[in-house]
Amino acid sequence: MLQLKIVSPEKIEFCGAVDSVLVPGTMGQFEILTDHAPIISTLQNGTVEYTTAQGKNQLEIQGGFVAVQKNEVSLCVELKVVE
């Protein structure tokens, strides 16, 4: 189980337990699972997907970064503006 926190400039978008997180890394999409190695990576325009006990959730982003350490995943993102 992972602890995920997604923060945008406006607010905390999500904070809670998840099974997995799929992020649009600058060098390609990658998935974060329990016991993932520590990493810091930039994110590009795309979709963040995370799986909770209630099911899959998606968040459209313009970019940001992700940090993973000891089953804690922190995302600082700029949300995609829907016009």
Side-chain angles (χ1 to χ4, degrees):
M1 191 65 65
L2 298 164
Q3 277 301 120
L4 173 63
K5 186 172 188 177
I6 304 175
V7 179
S8 73
E10 292 80 28
K11 64 179 184 172
I12 296 174
E13 301 293 333
F14 177 83
C15 187
V18 299
D19 295 322
S20 65
V21 184
L22 188 65
V23 295
T26 305
M27 301 297 286
Q29 192 176 52
F30 65 94
E31 187 171 29
I32 301 162
L33 299 170
T34 303
D35 296 328
H36 194 285
I39 187 173
I40 295 175
S41 178
T42 55
L43 301 175
Q44 65 181 6
N45 185 34
T47 304
V48 172
E49 296 180 13
Y50 54 97
T51 306
T52 65
Q54 288 75 35
K56 281 193 175 185
N57 300 279
Q58 294 185 336
L59 190 64
E60 295 295 322
I61 66 166
Q62 290 184 1
F65 70 89
V66 59
V68 180
Q69 188 171 13
K70 297 180 182 175
N71 290 323
E72 292 184 5
V73 182
S74 300
L75 274 76
C76 183
V77 298
E78 182 73 33
L79 297 179
K80 192 176 281 189
V81 177
V82 179
E83 297 180 16

